[in-house]
Amino acid sequence: MTYMIKPLRNLSLIMLSLVFAPATAWAEPVVTEAWIPEAPPVSTVMAAFMTIHNNGDEDLKIVSVKSDQFAEVQMHLSVEEKGVAKMLPQKTLIVPARATLQLRQGSYHLMLFNSVSPLKAGDKVTLTLDFADGSKLPVIADVKKAGGMKSQSEHMKMKMDGSHRCY
Ligand SMILES: [Cu+2]
């Protein structure tokens, strides 16, 4: 009989540890695929994209983003109004509970102004997300060649020709 009891006891221990595992309460967001398209050295503005996963039961509100590498970071939403592309500055970005916010071309994204030093593919930049509850999440973004990304060059052109105000 001892042979039977032992595995059972082990099983209940395993179940107990699952119930109390801190993973169930841990709600820190997880950021993946953070990257910055490489831009011509003359450009004063770059974009940053990432995917933010909220595994918690409450919406997360990003109130600002900062980086030592840039003079300023803004949160933007790209929209099209009557066939005209615009970027609207956002005061906050919401990552809904149990959901994902994708910062990408043509949608929400980060706009990086006036790099303190030139960046090229292979460089890494720390972007710190500030949340409404006061917590901060540093994110490492890889600078990569934007190769083949048509919308990226359009994004830059939009900024460069000055025909659309961005902020
Ligand atoms: Cu923008």
Side-chain angles (χ1 to χ4, degrees):
M1 278 311 279
T2 51
Y3 175 80
M4 284 297 290
I5 288 162
K6 206 177 171 196
L8 270 176
R9 185 184 286 159
N10 284 350
L11 185 66
S12 62
L13 274 175
I14 289 164
M15 289 175 75
L16 205 67
S17 64
L18 280 177
V19 169
F20 290 102
T24 53
W26 188 71
E28 185 173 316
V30 176
V31 176
T32 57
E33 294 160 71
W35 72 290
I36 296 170
E38 190 182 49
V42 290
S43 68
T44 56
V45 61
M46 298 175 88
F49 308 111
M50 63 185 70
T51 304
I52 307 167
H53 307 268
N54 180 1
N55 300 315
D57 294 322
E58 285 175 27
D59 294 357
L60 291 170
K61 194 192 277 186
I62 300 168
V63 293
S64 67
V65 181
K66 295 189 181 74
S67 175
D68 290 343
Q69 180 67 39
F70 293 93
E72 191 183 358
V73 180
Q74 292 184 4
M75 302 179 284
H76 282 185
L77 172 62
S78 291
V79 293
E80 208 179 289
E81 274 173 24
K82 294 170 189 153
V84 179
K86 288 185 189 175
M87 297 196 286
L88 307 176
Q90 305 289 297
K91 284 198 168 71
T92 60
L93 295 178
I94 306 288
V95 194
R98 303 272 163 202
T100 292
L101 174 67
Q102 249 193 325
L103 305 187
R104 58 176 172 81
Q105 297 288 341
S107 181
Y108 293 101
H109 60 276
L110 301 180
M111 211 86 241
L112 316 170
F113 294 89
N114 300 316
S115 182
V116 298
S117 58
L119 291 171
K120 57 184 189 321
D123 290 340
K124 291 182 187 302
V125 173
T126 302
L127 304 167
T128 302
L129 312 184
D130 294 330
F131 292 88
D133 68 353
S135 61
K136 294 176 189 299
L137 182 68
V139 172
I140 310 284
D142 294 307
V143 180
K144 293 184 192 174
K145 291 232 182 288
M149 294 193 61
K150 188 163 158 275
S151 52
Q152 175 57 26
S153 55
E154 281 171 357
H155 190 269
M156 289 302 170
K157 186 166 154 267
M158 202 163 87
K159 282 290 296 173
M160 293 305 177
D161 67 14
S163 59
H164 305 103
R165 279 189 68 84
C166 170
Y167 50 94

Coordinates of all heavy atoms in Angstrom, one line a residue, residues 13-89:
L13 N 1.2 17.4 -3.8 CA 2.2 18.5 -3.6 C 2.3 19.3 -4.9 O 2.4 20.5 -4.8 CB 3.5 17.9 -3.2 CG 3.7 17.6 -1.7 CD1 5.0 16.9 -1.5 CD2 3.7 18.9 -0.9
I14 N 2.3 18.6 -6.0 CA 2.5 19.3 -7.3 C 1.3 20.3 -7.5 O 1.5 21.4 -7.9 CB 2.6 18.3 -8.4 CG1 4.0 17.6 -8.4 CG2 2.4 19.0 -9.8 CD1 4.1 16.3 -9.2
M15 N 0.1 19.8 -7.2 CA -1.1 20.6 -7.4 C -1.1 21.8 -6.5 O -1.4 22.9 -6.9 CB -2.3 19.8 -7.2 CG -2.5 18.8 -8.3 SD -3.9 17.7 -8.0 CE -5.3 18.8 -8.3
L16 N -0.6 21.6 -5.3 CA -0.5 22.7 -4.3 C 0.5 23.8 -4.8 O 0.2 25.0 -4.8 CB 0.0 22.2 -3.0 CG -0.4 23.0 -1.7 CD1 -1.9 22.9 -1.5 CD2 0.4 22.4 -0.5
S17 N 1.6 23.4 -5.4 CA 2.6 24.3 -5.9 C 2.0 25.1 -7.1 O 2.3 26.2 -7.3 CB 3.9 23.7 -6.2 OG 3.7 22.7 -7.2
L18 N 1.2 24.4 -7.8 CA 0.6 25.1 -9.0 C -0.4 26.2 -8.5 O -0.4 27.3 -9.0 CB -0.2 24.1 -9.9 CG 0.6 23.3 -10.8 CD1 -0.2 22.3 -11.6 CD2 1.4 24.2 -11.8
V19 N -1.2 25.9 -7.5 CA -2.1 26.9 -7.0 C -1.4 28.1 -6.4 O -1.9 29.2 -6.7 CB -3.0 26.2 -5.8 CG1 -3.8 27.3 -5.1 CG2 -3.9 25.1 -6.5
F20 N -0.3 27.9 -5.8 CA 0.4 29.0 -5.1 C 1.5 29.6 -6.0 O 2.2 30.5 -5.5 CB 0.9 28.6 -3.8 CG -0.2 28.4 -2.8 CD1 -0.7 27.2 -2.4 CD2 -0.9 29.5 -2.2 CE1 -1.7 27.0 -1.5 CE2 -1.9 29.4 -1.4 CZ -2.4 28.1 -1.0
A21 N 1.7 29.1 -7.2 CA 2.7 29.6 -8.0 C 2.5 31.1 -8.3 O 1.4 31.5 -8.6 CB 2.8 28.9 -9.4
P22 N 3.5 31.9 -8.1 CA 3.4 33.4 -8.3 C 3.0 33.7 -9.7 O 2.5 34.8 -9.9 CB 4.8 33.9 -7.9 CG 5.7 32.8 -7.9 CD 4.9 31.5 -7.7
A23 N 3.2 32.8 -10.6 CA 3.0 33.2 -12.0 C 1.5 33.6 -12.3 O 1.2 34.4 -13.1 CB 3.3 32.0 -12.9
T24 N 0.6 33.0 -11.4 CA -0.8 33.4 -11.6 C -1.1 34.8 -11.3 O -2.0 35.4 -11.8 CB -1.7 32.5 -10.7 OG1 -1.2 32.6 -9.4 CG2 -1.6 31.0 -11.2
A25 N -0.3 35.4 -10.4 CA -0.6 36.8 -10.0 C 0.3 37.8 -10.7 O 0.1 39.0 -10.7 CB -0.4 37.0 -8.5
W26 N 1.3 37.3 -11.4 CA 2.3 38.2 -12.0 C 1.8 38.8 -13.3 O 1.4 38.1 -14.2 CB 3.6 37.3 -12.3 CG 4.7 38.2 -12.8 CD1 5.5 39.0 -12.0 CD2 5.3 38.2 -14.1 NE1 6.4 39.6 -12.8 CE2 6.3 39.1 -14.1 CE3 4.9 37.6 -15.3 CZ2 7.1 39.4 -15.2 CZ3 5.7 37.9 -16.4 CH2 6.8 38.8 -16.4
A27 N 1.7 40.1 -13.3 CA 1.0 40.7 -14.4 C 1.9 41.7 -15.2 O 1.4 42.5 -15.9 CB -0.2 41.5 -13.9
E28 N 3.2 41.6 -14.9 CA 4.1 42.6 -15.6 C 4.0 42.3 -17.2 O 4.0 41.2 -17.6 CB 5.5 42.4 -15.2 CG 6.4 43.4 -15.8 CD 7.8 43.3 -15.2 OE1 8.0 43.2 -14.0 OE2 8.8 43.4 -16.0
P29 N 3.8 43.4 -17.9 CA 3.7 43.2 -19.4 C 5.0 42.7 -20.0 O 6.1 42.9 -19.4 CB 3.5 44.7 -19.9 CG 3.9 45.6 -18.8 CD 3.8 44.8 -17.5
V30 N 4.8 42.0 -21.0 CA 6.0 41.4 -21.7 C 6.1 42.0 -23.1 O 5.1 42.1 -23.8 CB 5.8 39.9 -21.9 CG1 7.0 39.3 -22.7 CG2 5.8 39.2 -20.5
V31 N 7.2 42.5 -23.5 CA 7.4 43.2 -24.8 C 8.2 42.3 -25.7 O 9.3 41.8 -25.3 CB 8.0 44.6 -24.6 CG1 8.3 45.2 -25.9 CG2 7.1 45.5 -23.7
T32 N 7.8 42.1 -26.9 CA 8.5 41.4 -27.9 C 8.7 42.2 -29.1 O 7.9 43.2 -29.4 CB 7.8 40.0 -28.2 OG1 6.5 40.3 -28.7 CG2 7.7 39.1 -27.0
E33 N 9.6 41.8 -29.9 CA 9.9 42.4 -31.3 C 9.9 43.9 -31.2 O 9.3 44.6 -32.0 CB 8.7 42.0 -32.2 CG 8.8 40.5 -32.5 CD 7.4 40.0 -33.1 OE1 7.1 40.4 -34.2 OE2 6.7 39.3 -32.3
A34 N 10.7 44.4 -30.3 CA 10.9 45.9 -30.2 C 12.0 46.2 -31.2 O 13.1 45.7 -31.1 CB 11.3 46.3 -28.8
W35 N 11.7 47.1 -32.1 CA 12.7 47.5 -33.1 C 12.5 48.9 -33.7 O 11.4 49.5 -33.6 CB 12.8 46.5 -34.3 CG 11.7 46.5 -35.2 CD1 10.4 46.1 -35.0 CD2 11.7 46.9 -36.6 NE1 9.6 46.3 -36.1 CE2 10.4 46.8 -37.1 CE3 12.7 47.4 -37.4 CZ2 10.1 47.1 -38.4 CZ3 12.4 47.7 -38.7 CH2 11.1 47.6 -39.2
I36 N 13.6 49.4 -34.2 CA 13.7 50.8 -34.7 C 14.2 50.7 -36.2 O 15.3 50.2 -36.4 CB 14.6 51.7 -33.9 CG1 14.0 51.8 -32.5 CG2 14.8 53.0 -34.6 CD1 15.0 52.5 -31.5
P37 N 13.4 51.1 -37.2 CA 14.0 51.0 -38.5 C 15.1 52.0 -38.7 O 15.0 53.2 -38.2 CB 12.8 51.4 -39.4 CG 11.6 51.3 -38.5 CD 12.0 51.5 -37.1
E38 N 16.2 51.5 -39.3 CA 17.3 52.4 -39.5 C 16.9 53.6 -40.4 O 16.1 53.4 -41.3 CB 18.4 51.6 -40.2 CG 19.8 52.3 -40.3 CD 20.8 51.5 -41.1 OE1 20.5 50.9 -42.1 OE2 21.9 51.4 -40.5
A39 N 17.4 54.8 -40.2 CA 17.0 55.9 -40.9 C 18.2 56.6 -41.5 O 19.3 56.4 -40.9 CB 16.2 56.9 -40.1
P40 N 18.1 57.4 -42.6 CA 19.3 58.1 -43.1 C 19.9 59.0 -42.0 O 19.1 59.5 -41.2 CB 18.7 59.0 -44.2 CG 17.4 58.4 -44.5 CD 16.9 57.7 -43.3
P41 N 21.2 59.1 -41.9 CA 21.8 59.9 -40.8 C 21.3 61.3 -40.7 O 21.4 61.9 -39.6 CB 23.3 59.9 -41.3 CG 23.5 58.8 -42.2 CD 22.2 58.6 -42.9
V42 N 20.8 61.9 -41.8 CA 20.3 63.3 -41.7 C 19.0 63.4 -41.0 O 18.6 64.5 -40.6 CB 20.2 63.9 -43.1 CG1 21.6 64.1 -43.7 CG2 19.4 63.0 -44.0
S43 N 18.2 62.3 -40.9 CA 16.9 62.4 -40.4 C 16.9 62.7 -38.9 O 17.7 62.1 -38.2 CB 16.1 61.2 -40.7 OG 16.6 60.1 -40.0
T44 N 16.0 63.6 -38.5 CA 15.9 63.9 -37.0 C 14.8 63.1 -36.3 O 14.6 63.3 -35.1 CB 15.6 65.4 -36.9 OG1 14.4 65.7 -37.6 CG2 16.8 66.3 -37.5
V45 N 14.2 62.3 -37.1 CA 13.1 61.5 -36.5 C 13.1 60.1 -36.9 O 13.5 59.8 -38.0 CB 11.7 62.2 -36.8 CG1 11.4 62.1 -38.3 CG2 10.6 61.5 -36.1
M46 N 12.9 59.2 -35.9 CA 12.8 57.8 -36.2 C 11.6 57.2 -35.6 O 10.9 57.9 -34.7 CB 14.1 57.1 -35.6 CG 15.4 57.5 -36.2 SD 16.8 56.8 -35.4 CE 17.0 55.3 -36.4
A47 N 11.2 56.0 -36.0 CA 10.0 55.4 -35.4 C 10.4 54.2 -34.6 O 11.5 53.6 -34.8 CB 9.0 55.0 -36.5
A48 N 9.6 53.7 -33.7 CA 9.9 52.5 -33.0 C 8.6 51.7 -32.9 O 7.5 52.2 -32.7 CB 10.4 52.8 -31.5
F49 N 8.8 50.4 -33.0 CA 7.7 49.4 -33.0 C 7.9 48.3 -32.0 O 9.1 48.0 -31.8 CB 7.5 48.8 -34.4 CG 7.4 49.9 -35.5 CD1 8.4 50.0 -36.5 CD2 6.3 50.7 -35.6 CE1 8.3 51.0 -37.4 CE2 6.2 51.7 -36.6 CZ 7.2 51.8 -37.5
M50 N 6.9 47.8 -31.5 CA 7.0 46.6 -30.6 C 5.6 46.0 -30.4 O 4.6 46.6 -30.7 CB 7.6 47.1 -29.3 CG 6.7 48.1 -28.5 SD 7.5 48.7 -27.0 CE 8.8 49.7 -27.7
T51 N 5.6 44.8 -29.7 CA 4.4 44.2 -29.4 C 4.4 44.1 -27.8 O 5.3 43.6 -27.3 CB 4.3 42.8 -30.0 OG1 4.4 43.0 -31.4 CG2 2.9 42.1 -29.7
I52 N 3.3 44.6 -27.2 CA 3.2 44.6 -25.8 C 2.1 43.7 -25.3 O 0.9 43.9 -25.7 CB 2.9 46.0 -25.2 CG1 4.0 47.0 -25.8 CG2 3.0 46.1 -23.7 CD1 3.6 48.5 -25.6
H53 N 2.5 42.7 -24.6 CA 1.5 41.6 -24.1 C 1.1 42.0 -22.7 O 2.0 42.1 -21.8 CB 2.1 40.2 -24.2 CG 2.7 39.9 -25.5 ND1 2.0 39.3 -26.5 CD2 3.9 40.1 -26.0 CE1 2.8 39.1 -27.6 NE2 4.0 39.6 -27.3
N54 N -0.1 42.1 -22.4 CA -0.6 42.3 -21.1 C -1.3 41.0 -20.6 O -2.4 40.6 -21.0 CB -1.7 43.4 -21.0 CG -2.2 43.7 -19.6 OD1 -1.8 43.0 -18.7 ND2 -3.1 44.6 -19.5
N55 N -0.6 40.3 -19.7 CA -1.1 39.0 -19.2 C -1.9 39.2 -17.9 O -2.4 38.2 -17.3 CB 0.1 38.0 -18.9 CG 0.9 37.8 -20.1 OD1 0.4 37.5 -21.2 ND2 2.2 37.9 -20.0
G56 N -2.1 40.4 -17.5 CA -2.8 40.7 -16.3 C -4.3 40.8 -16.5 O -4.8 40.9 -17.6
D57 N -5.0 41.0 -15.4 CA -6.5 41.2 -15.5 C -6.9 42.6 -15.5 O -8.1 42.9 -15.6 CB -7.1 40.5 -14.2 CG -6.9 39.0 -14.3 OD1 -7.0 38.4 -15.4 OD2 -6.7 38.4 -13.2
E58 N -6.0 43.5 -15.5 CA -6.4 44.9 -15.6 C -5.7 45.6 -16.8 O -4.6 45.2 -17.2 CB -5.9 45.7 -14.3 CG -6.8 45.4 -13.2 CD -6.3 46.0 -11.9 OE1 -5.6 47.0 -11.9 OE2 -6.6 45.4 -10.8
D59 N -6.4 46.6 -17.4 CA -5.8 47.3 -18.5 C -4.6 48.0 -18.0 O -4.5 48.5 -16.9 CB -6.8 48.4 -19.0 CG -8.0 47.7 -19.7 OD1 -8.1 46.5 -19.8 OD2 -8.9 48.5 -20.1
L60 N -3.6 48.1 -18.9 CA -2.4 48.9 -18.5 C -2.3 50.2 -19.4 O -2.7 50.2 -20.6 CB -1.1 48.0 -18.9 CG -0.9 46.8 -18.0 CD1 0.2 46.0 -18.6 CD2 -0.5 47.3 -16.6
K61 N -2.0 51.2 -18.7 CA -1.9 52.5 -19.4 C -0.5 53.1 -19.4 O 0.1 53.3 -18.4 CB -2.9 53.5 -18.6 CG -3.2 54.8 -19.4 CD -3.8 55.8 -18.5 CE -5.3 55.6 -18.4 NZ -6.0 56.7 -17.6
I62 N 0.0 53.2 -20.6 CA 1.3 53.8 -20.8 C 1.2 55.3 -20.9 O 0.4 55.8 -21.7 CB 2.0 53.3 -22.0 CG1 2.2 51.8 -21.9 CG2 3.4 54.0 -22.2 CD1 2.6 51.1 -23.2
V63 N 1.8 56.1 -20.0 CA 1.6 57.5 -19.9 C 2.7 58.3 -20.6 O 2.6 59.5 -21.0 CB 1.4 58.0 -18.5 CG1 0.1 57.5 -17.9 CG2 2.5 57.7 -17.6
S64 N 3.9 57.7 -20.7 CA 5.0 58.3 -21.4 C 6.1 57.3 -21.7 O 6.1 56.2 -21.1 CB 5.6 59.5 -20.6 OG 6.3 59.0 -19.5
V65 N 6.9 57.6 -22.7 CA 8.1 56.8 -23.0 C 9.3 57.7 -23.1 O 9.2 58.8 -23.6 CB 7.9 56.1 -24.4 CG1 9.1 55.2 -24.7 CG2 6.6 55.3 -24.4
K66 N 10.4 57.2 -22.5 CA 11.6 58.0 -22.4 C 12.8 57.2 -22.9 O 12.8 56.0 -22.8 CB 11.9 58.5 -21.0 CG 10.8 59.5 -20.5 CD 11.2 60.1 -19.2 CE 10.1 61.0 -18.7 NZ 8.9 60.3 -18.2
S67 N 13.8 57.9 -23.4 CA 15.0 57.2 -23.8 C 16.2 58.2 -23.7 O 16.1 59.4 -24.1 CB 14.9 56.8 -25.3 OG 16.2 56.2 -25.7
D68 N 17.3 57.7 -23.1 CA 18.5 58.6 -23.0 C 19.0 58.9 -24.4 O 19.8 59.8 -24.6 CB 19.6 57.9 -22.2 CG 19.2 57.8 -20.7 OD1 18.3 58.6 -20.3 OD2 19.8 57.0 -20.0
Q69 N 18.7 58.0 -25.4 CA 19.2 58.2 -26.7 C 18.5 59.3 -27.5 O 19.1 59.8 -28.5 CB 19.0 56.8 -27.4 CG 19.5 56.7 -28.8 CD 21.1 56.9 -28.9 OE1 21.8 56.3 -28.1 NE2 21.5 57.6 -29.9
F70 N 17.4 59.7 -27.1 CA 16.6 60.7 -27.9 C 16.2 61.9 -27.0 O 15.8 61.7 -25.8 CB 15.4 60.0 -28.5 CG 15.7 59.0 -29.6 CD1 15.8 57.7 -29.3 CD2 16.0 59.5 -30.9 CE1 16.2 56.8 -30.2 CE2 16.3 58.5 -31.8 CZ 16.4 57.2 -31.5
A71 N 16.1 63.0 -27.6 CA 15.7 64.2 -26.9 C 14.2 64.1 -26.5 O 13.8 64.6 -25.4 CB 15.9 65.5 -27.8
E72 N 13.4 63.4 -27.3 CA 12.0 63.3 -27.0 C 11.4 62.1 -27.7 O 11.8 61.7 -28.8 CB 11.3 64.6 -27.6 CG 9.8 64.6 -27.1 CD 9.1 65.8 -27.7 OE1 9.7 66.6 -28.5 OE2 7.9 65.9 -27.4
V73 N 10.5 61.5 -27.0 CA 9.8 60.3 -27.5 C 8.3 60.6 -27.4 O 7.8 61.1 -26.4 CB 10.0 59.0 -26.7 CG1 9.3 57.8 -27.3 CG2 11.5 58.7 -26.7
Q74 N 7.6 60.5 -28.5 CA 6.1 60.7 -28.5 C 5.4 59.4 -28.9 O 5.9 58.6 -29.6 CB 5.8 61.8 -29.5 CG 6.2 63.2 -29.2 CD 5.8 64.3 -30.2 OE1 5.0 64.0 -31.1 NE2 6.2 65.5 -30.0
M75 N 4.2 59.3 -28.4 CA 3.3 58.2 -28.8 C 2.3 58.7 -29.8 O 1.7 59.8 -29.6 CB 2.5 57.7 -27.5 CG 3.5 57.3 -26.4 SD 2.6 56.7 -24.9 CE 2.1 58.3 -24.2
H76 N 2.3 58.0 -30.9 CA 1.5 58.5 -32.1 C 0.5 57.4 -32.5 O 0.7 56.2 -32.3 CB 2.4 58.8 -33.3 CG 3.1 60.1 -33.2 ND1 3.8 60.6 -34.2 CD2 3.1 61.0 -32.2 CE1 4.3 61.7 -33.9 NE2 3.9 62.0 -32.6
L77 N -0.6 57.9 -33.2 CA -1.5 57.0 -33.9 C -1.6 57.5 -35.4 O -1.9 58.7 -35.6 CB -2.9 57.0 -33.3 CG -4.0 56.3 -34.0 CD1 -3.7 54.8 -34.2 CD2 -5.3 56.5 -33.4
S78 N -1.3 56.6 -36.3 CA -1.4 56.9 -37.7 C -2.9 56.7 -38.1 O -3.4 55.6 -37.8 CB -0.5 56.1 -38.6 OG 0.8 56.5 -38.4
V79 N -3.5 57.7 -38.8 CA -4.8 57.5 -39.3 C -4.9 58.0 -40.7 O -4.0 58.8 -41.1 CB -5.9 58.3 -38.4 CG1 -6.0 57.6 -37.0 CG2 -5.5 59.7 -38.3
E80 N -6.0 57.7 -41.3 CA -6.2 58.2 -42.7 C -7.5 58.9 -42.7 O -8.5 58.3 -42.3 CB -6.2 57.1 -43.7 CG -5.7 57.6 -45.1 CD -5.6 56.5 -46.1 OE1 -4.8 55.6 -46.0 OE2 -6.5 56.5 -47.0
E81 N -7.5 60.2 -43.0 CA -8.7 61.0 -43.0 C -8.9 61.5 -44.4 O -8.1 62.3 -44.9 CB -8.7 62.1 -42.0 CG -9.1 61.7 -40.6 CD -8.9 62.8 -39.6 OE1 -8.8 64.0 -40.0 OE2 -8.8 62.5 -38.4
K82 N -10.0 61.1 -45.0 CA -10.3 61.5 -46.4 C -9.0 61.4 -47.3 O -8.7 62.2 -48.1 CB -10.7 63.0 -46.4 CG -12.0 63.2 -45.7 CD -12.3 64.7 -45.5 CE -13.5 64.9 -44.6 NZ -13.5 66.2 -43.9
G83 N -8.4 60.2 -47.2 CA -7.3 59.8 -48.0 C -6.0 60.5 -47.7 O -5.0 60.3 -48.3
V84 N -6.0 61.3 -46.6 CA -4.7 61.9 -46.1 C -4.2 61.2 -44.9 O -4.9 61.1 -43.9 CB -5.0 63.4 -45.9 CG1 -3.7 64.1 -45.4 CG2 -5.5 64.1 -47.1
A85 N -3.0 60.8 -44.9 CA -2.4 60.2 -43.8 C -1.9 61.2 -42.8 O -1.3 62.2 -43.1 CB -1.2 59.3 -44.2
K86 N -2.2 60.9 -41.5 CA -1.9 61.9 -40.4 C -1.4 61.0 -39.3 O -1.7 59.9 -39.1 CB -3.1 62.6 -39.9 CG -3.7 63.7 -40.8 CD -4.8 64.3 -40.0 CE -5.6 65.3 -40.9 NZ -6.7 65.8 -40.2
M87 N -0.6 61.7 -38.4 CA -0.2 61.1 -37.2 C -0.7 61.9 -36.0 O -0.4 63.1 -35.9 CB 1.3 61.0 -37.1 CG 1.9 60.1 -38.2 SD 3.5 59.5 -37.9 CE 4.4 61.0 -38.2
L88 N -1.5 61.3 -35.2 CA -2.1 62.0 -34.0 C -1.3 61.7 -32.8 O -1.2 60.5 -32.4 CB -3.5 61.6 -33.9 CG -4.4 61.8 -35.1 CD1 -5.8 61.2 -34.8 CD2 -4.5 63.2 -35.6
P89 N -0.7 62.7 -32.1 CA -0.1 62.4 -30.8 C -1.1 61.9 -29.8 O -2.2 62.3 -29.7 CB 0.5 63.8 -30.4 CG 0.4 64.6 -31.6 CD -0.7 64.1 -32.4

